[in-house]
Amino acid sequence: MAASAAVRSSMGLTLRLSRVIPDCSTCPFHRLKSCVGIVANSLRNRSFDNFQTINRHLQTSIGLYHSEEGTSGAEDSDDVVNVVYVDRSGKRIPIKAKVGDNVLYLAHKHGIELEGACEASLACSTCQVYVSPAHYDKLPEPDEREDDMLDMAPMLQENSRLGCQITLTPELEGMELTLPKVTRNFYVDGHVPKPH
Amino acid sequence: MIHAYVRVCCTFYCQSYGAEGNRSMGVPGEDLAGVYSAKDFVGWYNGLPSCRELSPDLSCETAVVLGQGNVALDVARILLCPLDILKSTDITQLALEALAESKVRRVLIVGRRGPVQVACTIKELREMVNLPDTRPEMVAADFEGVQEAVNDLPRPRKRLTELMLKTAMEVPGEKEQERRKKASRVWGFRFFRSPVEVLSDPDHKRTAGIRLAINMLEGSGESARAVLTGEVEDVTCGLVISSIGYKSLPIDASVPFDSHRAIVPNIMGRVQQATGLYCSGWLKTGPTGVIATTMNNSFDTARSVVEDMDSRRLDVSAGKPGSQSISALLDERGVKPVLFSDWEKIDALETRRGEAIGKPREKLLTVEEMLLEARK
């Protein structure tokens, strides 16, 4: 049971470990009380090399430190923007974010499993989100390169956008970002197979 | 033998090694100097050690690329890309120097079927259309009936076809006309053509041209079939690059392999009649799709593994020795694996070398050099 929970979380774990400072409370090794390494607050500004679990020695390093983007300032001020992520299981996760935050990195910061395979370089569609209709129109028009990548996204909808291209502004207060459920039948040219 | 041992040490074993082989054209003249597989050509400009000595002959004016997928477009783009754009990428210095001397000015990207059947995606097409100092040159007749068919196509195919139509058929505005007039390089799709023979020069040593059979289409859309008309056409060229698909190769005799489809036969990533054996990626589905397709593919395999653990089909209670046992075996055989921390040394060296000349990295081109750095 623990093993299958670990596998289920491993995707999210990989995201957290490879990209941002790990959020220990969501890590299965922490929850299973099998994290032997202590990540001190003083290490937050440096890449840290290793922490140990029961029988694995995991090494991580921080490639991109998104201190400016995707950080939840958490003070109530004029530049707070409240958004809600709805994850693949339907769970609502309200986040107190800041003007200027990037929707993809904000998700990573909070352990939300939004994949960003190409690291915001408009070379994939893995960060696709559905934007709440009231806020969709407030977003600037997508670059044609974003549209090209959206073509590749499974279960594309009218309100689909790439998370890595959305920057928070005050008008987006209350925006809901829903993660698409992963689909099995997905063809690059949009072909939908006939049910049989 | 090592594979069987690894399987015994683990609870589940997933093969995900992709498609490193390539489909061959199967036509006479394929072995002539001047004919390369896209796999080797791409390996050459990307610094794959096994492709280091390819030395492709770039002394001709026209190159023909067979295939119209994203890899074919990548090849065309590298052949025609202005040097000052290339030199700030991580393309190998070897390739950069060869391309600086290249006489190639025209690249034809040839496919068996029509515009609506191209396998490439819009991002790659747009990069060709926007490539500085190049102009498109296509055959208007190839696009007969395409404008009418466009509206019924699904979004990705529709946008791709519209861009192709615009590039091939639309009369450009003044600015674009000027730009095209000044362009020194040309590219274009050629449709309804299949290779039948690579033609040699009088000494029968080098490529001088390619004979293409002319096809017509039976049916429409994805399932349209190319049917020979009996007519052929010869195209003069000195470089032929065949980009008709990658192919997975079997690496482990104990794992079932479908050599006709070149994949490991599976259902949802589970290899049949073999508990604990799975596959993922191109090895599972064949070599098509972009990042999102392959990512979802791997999620599917992971889901199968989790289902098998939950249903007890996979017995996780039996403790398996795992990596410690495999490490012990490697040790015993004097095999010293390259760890991630060793790769980080190679990465750091390549990055430093690149920084000195304004590139993201300058790649090491031999395994010996890589190991030298890794073992430091």
Side-chain angles (χ1 to χ4, degrees), chain B residues 298-364:
Chain B
S298 69
F299 288 174
D300 283 349
T301 299
R303 204 176 289 119
S304 295
V305 174
V306 169
E307 279 170 12
D308 289 352
M309 286 197 290
D310 286 347
S311 70
R312 307 293 150 116
R313 196 142 138 211
L314 206 51
D315 182 11
V316 298
S317 63
K320 292 289 176 106
S323 62
Q324 281 155 348
S325 180
I326 297 167
S327 299
L329 175 68
L330 291 174
D331 227 18
E332 204 181 295
R333 294 192 179 184
V335 174
K336 202 165 175 291
V338 174
L339 304 177
F340 184 67
S341 54
D342 297 327
W343 175 80
E344 285 183 310
K345 294 180 205 149
I346 298 172
D347 182 34
L349 176 60
E350 289 186 346
T351 308
R352 276 198 309 274
R353 283 164 31 127
E355 249 166 77
I357 43 178
K359 292 164 84 171
R361 69 176 63 243
E362 184 58 53
K363 297 181 182 180
L364 297 175

Side-chain angles (χ1 to χ4, degrees), chain A residues 4-96:
Chain A
S4 63
V7 170
R8 236 177 259 120
S9 303
S10 70
M11 283 167 2
L13 178 62
T14 306
L15 290 179
R16 287 189 286 280
L17 291 180
S18 67
R19 210 168 257 109
V20 298
I21 300 164
D23 180 6
C24 286
S25 62
T26 54
C27 172
F29 294 112
H30 180 84
R31 282 192 305 218
L32 295 171
K33 308 262 192 294
S34 48
C35 175
V36 177
I38 314 282
V39 180
N41 273 332
S42 64
L43 289 176
R44 284 174 84 81
N45 291 339
R46 305 203 296 273
S47 65
F48 57 97
D49 307 290
N50 59 75
F51 58 97
Q52 288 180 279
T53 62
I54 295 175
N55 54 9
R56 320 277 318 281
H57 183 83
L58 296 168
Q59 300 212 142
T60 68
S61 64
I62 297 173
L64 297 163
Y65 182 61
H66 305 302
S67 58
E68 304 311 317
E69 319 166 67
T71 329
S72 58
E75 325 93 45
D76 266 297
S77 64
D78 286 336
D79 59 347
V80 166
V81 181
N82 293 289
V83 298
V84 178
Y85 286 86
V86 181
D87 76 9
R88 290 180 218 282
S89 69
K91 174 161 148 227
R92 297 172 61 81
I93 304 147
I95 304 284
K96 201 189 214 74

Side-chain angles (χ1 to χ4, degrees), chain B residues 29 31-35 57-60 198-209 237-239:
Chain B
D31 298 319
L32 280 170
V35 181
D57 185 347
L58 306 174
S59 61
C60 56
V198 180
L199 308 167
S200 70
D201 66 351
D203 296 324
H204 301 281
K205 296 224 185 82
R206 302 174 46 170
T207 302
C237 62
L239 180 62

Side-chain angles (χ1 to χ4, degrees), chain B residues 9-299:
Chain B
C9 291
C10 304
T11 309
F12 79 89
Y13 178 62
C14 181
Q15 291 196 321
S16 184
Y17 59 81
E20 65 189 83
N22 66 275
R23 293 177 59 209
S24 72
M25 289 189 280
V27 303
E30 197 162 6
D31 298 319
L32 280 170
V35 181
Y36 308 95
S37 68
K39 158 184 103 70
D40 288 343
F41 191 73
V42 170
W44 170 73
Y45 63 70
N46 271 317
L48 204 61
S50 57
C51 300
R52 189 172 52 101
E53 323 235 284
L54 195 72
S55 301
D57 185 347
L58 306 174
S59 61
C60 56
E61 194 202 334
T62 300
V64 167
V65 180
L66 294 151
Q68 296 175 326
N70 287 337
V71 178
L73 290 191
D74 282 353
V75 167
R77 196 175 67 252
I78 295 294
L79 283 171
L80 297 179
C81 190
L83 240 5
D84 43 76
I85 294 178
L86 282 183
K87 68 177 197 258
S88 59
T89 68
D90 61 0
I91 193 169
T92 66
Q93 202 56 27
L94 214 64
L96 205 52
E97 283 162 15
L99 288 164
E101 304 295 310
S102 165
K103 301 276 181 291
V104 176
R105 294 290 174 270
R106 187 163 162 259
V107 178
L108 301 176
I109 308 166
V110 177
R112 293 173 306 125
R113 299 186 295 173
V116 177
Q117 286 79 35
V118 292
C120 62
T121 54
I122 193 171
K123 180 186 167 77
E124 284 71 16
L125 177 61
R126 206 184 287 287
E127 288 193 34
M128 273 316 295
V129 171
N130 294 339
L131 195 59
D133 196 30
T134 67
R135 62 180 165 80
E137 183 191 86
M138 310 223 218
V139 176
D142 285 349
F143 290 86
E144 220 168 291
V146 174
Q147 181 66 67
E148 292 72 27
V150 149
N151 285 321
D152 298 324
L153 300 169
R155 172 186 150 142
R157 176 65 65 183
K158 178 163 185 248
R159 292 182 75 243
L160 171 64
T161 311
E162 282 172 345
L163 178 59
M164 224 187 310
L165 270 170
K166 175 162 181 252
T167 308
M169 308 289 283
E170 203 179 74
V171 176
E174 213 179 294
K175 204 165 137 209
E176 173 65 9
Q177 275 197 48
E178 268 306 301
R179 193 197 69 80
R180 289 189 188 185
K181 237 173 36 188
K182 292 209 197 101
S184 66
R185 298 169 181 205
V186 179
W187 69 278
F189 286 123
R190 291 293 182 273
F191 297 101
F192 313 110
R193 300 288 186 273
S194 298
V196 287
E197 188 179 344
V198 180
L199 308 167
S200 70
D201 66 351
D203 296 324
H204 301 281
K205 296 224 185 82
R206 302 174 46 170
T207 302
I210 186 165
R211 179 158 294 158
L212 302 171
I214 300 177
N215 300 324
M216 64 183 190
L217 229 49
E218 232 167 61
S220 66
E222 227 171 281
S223 54
R225 272 179 345 274
V227 170
L228 293 170
T229 59
E231 285 179 53
V232 296
E233 163 185 277
D234 289 353
V235 175
T236 305
C237 62
L239 180 62
V240 170
I241 299 185
S242 99
S243 181
I244 58 176
Y246 288 90
K247 198 168 72 162
S248 292
L249 306 171
I251 62 169
D252 179 355
S254 70
V255 174
F257 190 83
D258 178 343
S259 43
H260 180 67
R261 294 162 68 200
I263 59 164
V264 170
N266 68 92
I267 296 178
M268 298 299 196
R270 293 181 180 95
V271 181
Q272 302 301 290
Q273 279 103 43
T275 321
L277 189 54
Y278 302 82
C279 59
S280 175
W282 280 7
L283 183 62
K284 172 180 160 195
T285 58
T288 60
V290 295
I291 293 180
T293 335
T294 314
M295 183 185 81
N296 288 338
N297 164 336
S298 69
F299 288 174

